[in-house]
Amino acid sequence: MDIIILTLTFLSSWMLSVMGEYLFSGALLIGLSLYLFAVYYERSGRLLLCPAGLFSLSWIGGAGLSALKLSNLQTDWEAETWIAIWLFAAAFLGIYGFLFKALARKMDSGPEEKEIGIKEPEPEANETGTKGTGISEAGDILPDGTSSEARFTAIAIFITSFVSVAAFLTEVYILGYIPLFTVDTPHAYSYFHVSGLHYFTTAFVLIPAEAVTYFKLRKRLDKSRMDIMVLICTAVALLLPILLVSRFQLILSIALSVFSLLLMRRDSLGSLFDKKRLPVISALFIAMIGLYVFLTIERAHSIEYLKGIFDMKQDSLPIWLIQPYMYVANNFDNLNCLIRDLAVHSGGLRMLFPVLVFTGLKFLRPELVSFPIYTTKEELTTLTIAYDAYYDFGLLGVAALGLVLGGLMAFLEQRFVDKRGRKGLLFSYVLIAQPFFYISLSFFTTWYSNPSTWFYLGVSAMVYAFIRLCMRFFDRR
């Protein structure tokens, strides 16, 4: 039924757009995204970070914003663009719905597991910290071996911080400057990049999420020294994107920590408006806006410069509305540029870009990565999650990516977030938070053909393995 509603709404929006009724066309898709979010939110048991709900808001809602055509850069979409946007949504939501029900039935018919949320005596730490589940005072999930996992998580935070700071200082030494302290250089942050080494510098984006995990686990530890060390590492991790003048890395750092916390707690939408949390959430949001504006100023992006790039039909619109609108909407127009202008598909090379980078083939065979980027304007280079899939294989690639990601999200939700499936180290939520965040910003960039995405997932997996091995080895001695 969801796919039928999706299809009929897309057809109606398409027809309205052809008739030039852009406001109605966009409003229809935005309304659909809100409706689907509400539907999947309820089906998930009111999980705030329900992946199908996040995807609906991000992909369908983002397309709706773009369909409003508020900028002169935006033109009527090709018929294949409409099909590609609909196809990706249909593939994702179709396989998600099917697998979600299938996995739920499998769990219901499987061996009976202890119900999460029943207050039981807190178990003693075992050898691996993975056999049972304890319940915190707040009702959060705390695996056995909590103190051991907290201790080794703190060590991992310190190691990650040391590597990130060392790489940053090395880049400063090689390049001879820090982006924050440059003057009238709008792209200083882009040029601050030593090939290969910069991945390790930006590993700081994982530290706030790791710190959230630590503070959820550390109730049984001597808090003084280890807490201070973790707080210092977290402060440094939040300082580095400011020094790099990177708004995205600052947002990613904070977003991953928030997503990790919300997944651990399995929060609902109502929890955001809790009387105790609302002041804290509001203060953090205001602080984020302040930092975002500060970094925008430091990047030498004046209001006149930005308005000139965005080229809005109504120039009187305030920049605080224009900028977020274009950061969402123009990406779908970049996809339309690709579909309109692409002559030959790349046959998988775009999606394989991380492999070409990490194996060094990028440098040995540069022609393998020499593909033009089709955008509405040179400065507006953000894309959608399906951009490279279409670049490689056209509509077939878009459908395949939608099926893979929809299936992955259904599995992760049922296996790790649903109360019947939760088990293992709490640190696993740092890993899970990443694909959940990427799907919530599916309008923004290609994500899975970006080497940084796989680097962060790889580092998180290594930290997870480090914690598990340390718990098994040292707790047995």
Side-chain angles (χ1 to χ4, degrees):
M1 188 64 182
D2 295 337
I3 303 303
I4 295 175
I5 294 173
L6 176 78
T7 303
L8 292 176
T9 307
F10 260 86
L11 282 173
S12 301
S13 180
W14 185 359
M15 292 303 102
L16 286 167
S17 182
V18 169
M19 294 177 347
E21 300 292 342
Y22 300 127
L23 294 181
F24 290 108
S25 173
L28 203 57
L29 291 181
I30 293 171
L32 174 64
S33 71
L34 295 172
Y35 164 76
L36 289 176
F37 174 82
V39 167
Y40 288 111
Y41 173 73
E42 289 296 328
R43 288 180 189 172
S44 67
R46 301 197 172 187
L47 174 66
L48 177 60
L49 297 187
C50 169
L54 295 176
F55 173 79
S56 298
L57 287 178
S58 176
W59 183 256
I60 301 173
L65 287 174
S66 185
L68 295 174
K69 310 292 185 195
L70 300 182
S71 169
N72 290 316
L73 299 177
Q74 299 174 294
T75 59
D76 288 334
W77 290 342
E78 302 292 313
E80 196 169 351
T81 302
W82 281 98
I83 295 171
I85 296 171
W86 165 82
L87 182 61
F88 187 64
F92 182 100
L93 296 176
I95 194 66
Y96 172 90
F98 173 78
L99 285 181
F100 187 87
K101 292 178 181 178
L103 291 170
R105 286 195 298 268
K106 183 178 179 181
M107 285 187 175
D108 288 336
S109 63
E112 184 177 353
E113 296 185 17
K114 181 170 61 181
E115 181 75 3
I116 301 300
I118 300 175
K119 187 68 178 179
E120 296 185 2
E122 193 172 38
E124 296 295 326
N126 61 13
E127 291 181 354
T128 65
T130 60
K131 292 183 179 179
T133 304
I135 311 298
S136 75
E137 295 177 359
D140 305 323
I141 308 305
L142 296 179
D144 293 352
T146 295
S147 58
S148 295
E149 184 180 349
R151 185 182 307 111
F152 296 121
T153 299
I155 294 172
I157 290 170
F158 178 76
I159 294 172
T160 306
S161 301
F162 177 81
V163 170
S164 181
V165 171
F168 170 73
L169 293 176
T170 303
E171 286 194 297
V172 171
Y173 176 77
I174 294 172
L175 298 174
Y177 71 96
I178 296 175
L180 180 64
F181 302 122
T182 59
V183 179
D184 295 327
T185 49
H187 301 290
Y189 67 98
S190 298
Y191 302 136
F192 190 86
H193 188 106
V194 176
S195 184
L197 185 61
H198 197 65
Y199 291 113
F200 294 92
T201 296
T202 60
F204 61 75
V205 300
L206 300 171
I207 294 172
E210 294 174 350
V212 164
T213 307
Y214 166 78
F215 282 109
K216 298 297 292 183
L217 289 164
R218 64 85 162 99
K219 298 180 184 296
R220 304 178 197 171
L221 292 175
D222 178 12
K223 302 175 185 178
S224 56
R225 293 183 180 179
M226 201 163 284
D227 280 11
I228 292 172
M229 182 188 78
V230 171
L231 287 172
I232 291 174
C233 291
T234 305
V236 170
L238 295 174
L239 175 63
L240 285 175
I242 296 174
L243 294 176
L244 292 172
V245 199
S246 175
R247 296 172 300 189
F248 171 70
Q249 287 166 352
L250 177 65
I251 292 172
L252 180 59
S253 298
I254 296 174
L256 289 181
S257 62
V258 171
F259 270 56
S260 299
L261 179 61
L262 293 177
L263 288 171
M264 291 174 197
R265 296 181 57 89
R266 205 181 187 280
D267 277 334
S268 66
L269 190 60
S271 64
L272 295 182
F273 301 98
D274 182 88
K275 291 182 179 179
K276 294 181 179 179
R277 292 188 185 182
L278 189 58
V280 177
I281 293 172
S282 301
L284 288 174
F285 182 75
I286 293 171
M288 278 292 297
I289 295 295
L291 282 172
Y292 186 90
V293 172
F294 170 74
L295 292 179
T296 299
I297 295 171
E298 289 300 318
R299 289 170 77 157
H301 288 175
S302 66
I303 292 177
E304 292 75 19
Y305 170 80
L306 292 173
K307 284 190 172 184
I309 290 175
F310 296 144
D311 192 14
M312 303 300 289
K313 293 177 181 178
Q314 296 292 331
D315 192 57
S316 60
L317 290 172
I319 192 64
W320 56 269
L321 279 179
I322 295 173
Q323 192 168 20
Y325 170 80
M326 288 300 287
Y327 274 17
V328 176
N330 189 74
N331 304 333
F332 291 90
D333 292 282
N334 285 344
L335 177 63
N336 184 62
C337 289
L338 171 70
I339 292 173
R340 182 191 63 209
D341 299 333
L342 183 65
V344 180
H345 294 292
S346 51
L349 290 176
R350 293 285 302 181
M351 292 295 289
L352 283 175
F353 182 66
V355 176
L356 301 177
V357 169
F358 294 134
T359 59
L361 287 174
K362 169 188 174 182
F363 305 102
L364 297 176
R365 299 281 302 278
E367 69 274 11
L368 294 177
V369 296
S370 299
F371 295 101
I373 299 295
Y374 300 93
T375 60
T376 59
K377 206 163 190 176
E378 184 180 358
E379 295 87 353
L380 301 176
T381 57
T382 51
L383 314 167
T384 70
I385 198 170
Y387 187 95
D388 282 348
Y390 184 90
Y391 209 133
D392 278 343
F393 300 110
L395 293 177
L396 180 62
V398 171
L401 182 65
L403 291 172
V404 169
L405 293 181
L408 174 65
M409 291 298 110
F411 170 78
L412 290 177
E413 182 178 353
Q414 287 285 9
R415 177 65 175 78
F416 294 100
V417 184
D418 187 274
K419 65 182 180 180
R420 295 163 296 182
R422 284 174 152 179
K423 59 181 67 176
L425 300 182
L426 201 67
F427 188 86
S428 62
Y429 288 94
V430 177
L431 269 165
I432 299 165
Q434 293 172 58
F436 273 61
F437 174 72
Y438 301 148
I439 210 64
S440 73
L441 263 68
S442 56
F443 61 80
F444 183 66
T445 189
T446 53
W447 293 117
Y448 291 100
S449 56
N450 188 328
S452 296
T453 297
W454 294 102
F455 181 81
Y456 300 147
L457 286 169
V459 170
S460 300
M462 289 174 61
V463 171
Y464 180 92
F466 166 80
I467 294 171
R468 179 174 285 277
L469 287 174
C470 286
M471 290 174 68
R472 286 180 175 175
F473 179 76
F474 291 102
D475 287 351
R476 286 178 178 176
R477 297 186 62 178

